[in-house]
Amino acid sequence: MSDEQRRVQFDAEVRFANGGDLRVREFRLDIPGEDISDGELAELLVRHLGLLMVGEVEISGKTLIREAHKGSRGAESGPRARRLVELSHTLEDGMVTVPGLPAPRIGPHETHAQSRSRYAPGTEFHFASISMVGNTGTYVDAPLHRYEGGTDLAGLPLESLADLEGVLVRAEGLPVITRELLLPLDVRGRAVLVHTGWSRHWGTEEYLSGHPHLTAGAAEFLVEQGAAMLGVDSQNVDGTRGGERPVHSLLLAAGIPVVEHMTGLDLLPPRGFRLHAAPPRIAGVGTFPVRAYAIVTEE
């Protein structure tokens, strides 16, 4: 194999999901190896330019060139300040999160007044009782949720749940989130949060059906690129009209935790934040509520 580096020159037309197009002529990019397919080149172009809301890319006039690579571009300045952003819903007695699953029952096991007889004068405590399914409020799915014998909450490493560098996908108003929408993003080792805006319906009947969701192709991209976590602010990462759940299946098979029913994603920047969404360390359980939040570094 030759040690010479290769670049490719080509023409392209990029059509965007929300209207409009972009055309490039005799554009050049570094390529890994000695050849590249049109599909791979289209993805490389989208990622190189950081294009959002891409629908289709058509490649033409492709020519391989023996030419030294030009390298990457751009640099970021250091952080100046930090802020916390709440990303989880409040758990309340009787709330409905997933249609068909029982609502949580939250109340006192023992009130302050009831506890007084067991303590010294002036000393009293409140003890709460909570009964609920794991899929309540903002929660994380471990592989056990989808696969018998899969890793449970106790088996998930903290590295997959906390202090994760995050990247935000802006997809408000879109019924589906496709692979093409994710192509510009560097997701490797990152928590990918998809802002659909659906959380504005939280607590209403509208929230419980017709939600935006990811496609199988989008999930395949996250697995291929080594994402650390996926989070959404809608009712489910999958569509629920049929019985198949390809996004859950692909991600949880790859050990990528899924956080559903998030909120506050509109307050996050595209990059420059770290996500924390760790549940209790419970053995034999595949899903449970989290207090999800982000630490945003201000540039």
Side-chain angles (χ1 to χ4, degrees):
M1 179 181 293
S2 172
D3 290 331
E4 268 189 304
Q5 294 180 325
R6 299 290 196 279
R7 306 188 81 212
V8 62
Q9 178 175 297
F10 61 98
D11 300 336
E13 181 174 356
V14 181
R15 290 180 283 275
F16 295 94
N18 59 342
D21 62 68
L22 171 69
R23 301 184 183 188
V24 299
R25 296 287 181 265
E26 299 183 352
F27 199 85
R28 293 191 181 190
L29 283 177
D30 301 344
I31 63 170
E34 298 184 351
D35 202 354
I36 188 169
S37 70
D38 285 0
E40 292 169 333
L41 181 56
E43 294 196 5
L44 185 62
L45 173 66
V46 170
R47 291 171 63 80
H48 179 79
L49 295 180
L51 299 176
L52 303 176
M53 306 288 285
V54 171
E56 295 179 296
V57 180
E58 183 176 332
I59 301 293
S60 60
K62 183 176 70 177
T63 304
L64 295 173
I65 302 169
R66 288 186 174 88
E67 189 175 52
H69 286 178
K70 302 302 182 184
S72 59
R73 55 188 174 86
E76 297 179 355
S77 59
R80 295 185 305 186
R82 303 197 311 165
R83 60 185 172 92
L84 292 173
V85 179
E86 178 68 69
L87 302 177
S88 53
H89 290 288
T90 300
L91 299 185
E92 298 178 303
D93 180 63
M95 64 186 286
V96 176
T97 302
V98 179
L101 294 182
R105 296 303 171 201
I106 305 173
H109 170 71
E110 186 174 68
T111 66
H112 288 95
Q114 291 168 338
S115 76
R116 290 170 189 161
S117 63
R118 300 192 294 112
Y119 298 98
T123 302
E124 58 188 45
F125 293 93
H126 177 275
F127 296 88
S129 174
I130 303 174
S131 175
M132 66 182 184
V133 297
N135 298 61
T136 300
T138 303
Y139 55 80
V140 63
D141 294 337
L144 178 61
H145 177 53
R146 171 64 179 84
Y147 296 104
E148 185 176 0
T151 302
D152 60 11
L153 295 175
L156 286 177
L158 275 177
E159 291 80 4
S160 69
L161 299 165
D163 199 26
L164 290 166
E165 184 176 352
V167 59
L168 184 71
V169 181
R170 300 203 183 277
E172 190 167 8
L174 297 179
V176 292
I177 294 85
T178 65
R179 178 188 181 97
E180 287 73 22
L181 293 174
L182 305 181
L183 289 178
L185 307 175
D186 181 4
V187 304
R188 184 167 301 279
R190 292 175 168 85
V192 180
L193 305 185
V194 181
H195 172 224
T196 70
W198 200 252
S199 62
R200 67 182 179 275
H201 301 304
W202 178 257
T204 70
E205 287 295 322
E206 188 173 358
Y207 183 83
L208 303 178
S209 63
H211 62 278
H213 58 86
L214 278 72
T215 64
E220 289 171 351
F221 175 80
L222 295 175
V223 172
E224 292 166 6
Q225 297 298 315
M229 175 187 282
L230 171 67
V232 297
D233 61 353
S234 72
Q235 212 269 341
N236 202 304
V237 293
D238 278 295
T240 55
R241 291 185 178 180
E244 295 182 348
R245 298 292 185 270
V247 180
H248 277 92
S249 299
L250 289 163
L251 295 181
L252 295 179
I256 300 173
V258 173
V259 180
E260 294 171 314
H261 310 282
M262 302 186 80
T263 189
L265 298 187
D266 57 310
L267 301 176
L268 295 179
R271 292 177 297 174
F273 65 91
R274 302 192 75 83
L275 178 75
H276 299 258
R281 193 177 184 185
I282 309 174
V285 174
T287 185
F288 202 78
V290 296
R291 181 73 179 266
Y293 63 93
I295 301 176
V296 180
T297 56
E298 305 286 343
E299 299 295 335

